[in-house]
Amino acid sequence: MTNKIRIAVQKSGRLSEASLALIKECGIDFGGTGTGRLKAEASNFPAEILFLRDDDIPGYVADGVADIGIVGENVAIEKSPNTNIVYRLGFSKCRLSLAIPKGEIYTNLTDFEGKDIATSYPKLLQNYLKENNVSAKIHEISGSVEIAPSIGLAYGICDIVSSGSTLLSNGLKEVEVVFRSEAVMISADNLPAEKQKILEKLLFRIRAVQSAQKNKYILLNAPNSQIDEIVQILPGIKSPTILPLAVDGWSSLHSVINEDDFWDIIENLKNAGAEGILVIPIEKMIG
Ligand code: ATP
Ligand code: ZN
């Protein structure tokens, strides 16, 4: 049997769509995403995809059932001692926070001293409390954590917060951020050399896809007298390409710009005399 890498992704949840989209953008074709599938084999890359509950992914990776997995960093750290984060994927950003009933007065973390806190993340919470020299009583519950205070199970909770509206509708307020998370790729400690090679191939593609997503290709026309000024504005990978236009005294400039500075750059370019600006998405960006 030829060597393959087994990639565990969340079957259905907040990570699923972005995880599968990333794998597809890496040019890995594993057929449609029919519901109920547990396993899919890629037709053009030595990979097999396992669809699992996110909580189970670190354990399966640690046991070698899967070679790598995509999970929230919160789950990666909470659930498994024997996996490594090999790449930070940047999507599904969220935070794990402490919250207490709205009506309670909050001063600082020492307010939690000796109190009961309900959470699905006992390890992350314990690490945080320990770092801050607070000791509280942690109650591990697996779901509906936010109702714990209202039913008298705990004084506060520690849970994933997205908008804060779930907290609010349960009469709670966020008071401390315990952990900031994003999707990460994890692998076992001791991948065999051949699988390690496939992983590196995959990471190379992920980097190319993600840097392409963060950048745009830009083309513009400018009078030759303005080229120096415009070149100063365009960061580019190395330096912009400059080509003469059929019209005398004008050139076309091509470069790559980062999404974050995009609108500022466009404005500065216009002010510097650029015309006919075209901005084009980049599919892959290598090196
Ligand atoms: P499963 O059925 O697989 O156990 P789940 O209900 O435990 O799923 P999801 O709610 O799908 O998990 O969340 C999966 C991960 O997505 C979380 O562990 C966290 O890393 C991240 N996440 C959670 N909430 C948000 C959010 N509001 N925004 C972005 N990412 C989030
Ligand atoms: Zn889960």
Side-chain angles (χ1 to χ4, degrees):
M1 197 186 86
T2 50
N3 248 298
K4 263 185 275 188
I5 200 163
R6 275 186 145 184
I7 311 170
V9 300
Q10 190 185 22
K11 186 169 162 46
S12 93
R14 292 175 192 270
L15 296 163
S16 308
E17 207 182 301
S19 305
L20 293 177
L22 179 65
I23 293 171
K24 281 195 173 148
E25 278 154 13
C26 288
I28 299 172
D29 186 4
F30 53 90
T33 50
T35 46
R37 273 206 307 181
L38 300 177
K39 211 169 92 169
E41 194 162 332
S43 56
N44 57 356
F45 191 82
E48 199 169 57
I49 298 171
L50 302 184
F51 300 93
L52 301 166
R53 277 201 62 194
D54 70 338
D55 315 68
D56 296 334
I57 292 175
Y60 280 131
V61 170
D63 293 345
V65 174
D67 300 306
I68 58 174
I70 298 177
V71 282
E73 190 181 1
N74 52 316
V75 170
I77 295 184
E78 185 67 36
K79 301 281 177 190
S80 184
N82 297 321
T83 59
N84 301 312
I85 292 174
V86 290
Y87 194 76
R88 311 184 70 83
L89 292 160
F91 58 81
S92 297
K93 287 194 172 153
C94 61
R95 61 188 191 276
L96 186 68
S97 291
L98 281 163
I100 59 169
K102 260 191 306 221
E104 297 278 332
I105 292 164
Y106 185 74
T107 35
N108 58 41
L109 193 60
T110 59
D111 293 6
F112 284 97
E113 185 68 43
K115 298 265 173 50
D116 299 87
I117 308 173
T119 188
S120 310
Y121 298 95
K123 193 166 145 191
L124 284 169
L125 176 59
Q126 185 56 52
N127 291 348
Y128 175 79
L129 292 174
K130 209 168 155 192
E131 265 167 34
N132 289 284
N133 297 313
V134 170
S135 59
K137 222 169 133 198
I138 299 175
H139 295 262
E140 181 175 358
I141 51 179
S142 60
S144 306
V145 173
E146 61 284 350
I147 64 162
S150 63
I151 59 173
L153 180 67
Y155 162 75
I157 66 160
C158 174
D159 204 7
I160 301 279
V161 177
S162 24
S163 61
S165 62
T166 312
L167 286 184
L168 222 63
S169 62
N170 283 286
L172 301 171
K173 62 178 177 189
E174 182 179 4
V175 292
E176 299 284 350
V177 176
V178 169
F179 187 78
R180 289 187 192 275
S181 178
E182 65 185 271
V184 293
M185 181 167 287
I186 55 170
S187 91
D189 274 337
N190 45 0
L191 274 192
E194 275 147 71
K195 293 195 176 193
Q196 186 65 37
K197 249 191 190 153
I198 303 172
L199 171 59
E200 271 151 32
K201 231 174 169 169
L202 177 64
L203 290 175
F204 176 82
R205 293 191 189 190
I206 291 175
R207 278 185 213 108
V209 166
Q210 292 196 330
S211 38
Q213 284 167 349
K214 280 192 224 116
N215 289 281
K216 298 273 181 272
Y217 193 77
I218 182 167
L219 300 95
L220 59 90
N221 297 333
N224 290 345
S225 59
Q226 292 305 104
I227 288 178
D228 286 349
E229 193 179 329
I230 288 176
V231 167
Q232 296 304 310
I233 300 168
L234 287 173
I237 313 181
K238 283 210 177 75
S239 59
T241 306
I242 304 174
L243 302 165
L245 286 184
V247 186
D248 221 22
W250 281 73
S251 296
S252 165
L253 277 76
H254 300 197
S255 190
V256 171
I257 59 176
N258 191 287
E259 205 175 44
D260 298 337
D261 327 313
F262 181 78
W263 291 110
D264 286 341
I265 291 178
I266 298 291
E267 204 178 309
N268 294 340
L269 289 171
K270 287 194 71 172
N271 293 338
E275 290 181 13
I277 302 173
L278 281 183
V279 178
I280 300 169
I282 299 172
E283 197 178 292
K284 303 280 186 302
M285 204 164 133
I286 293 135

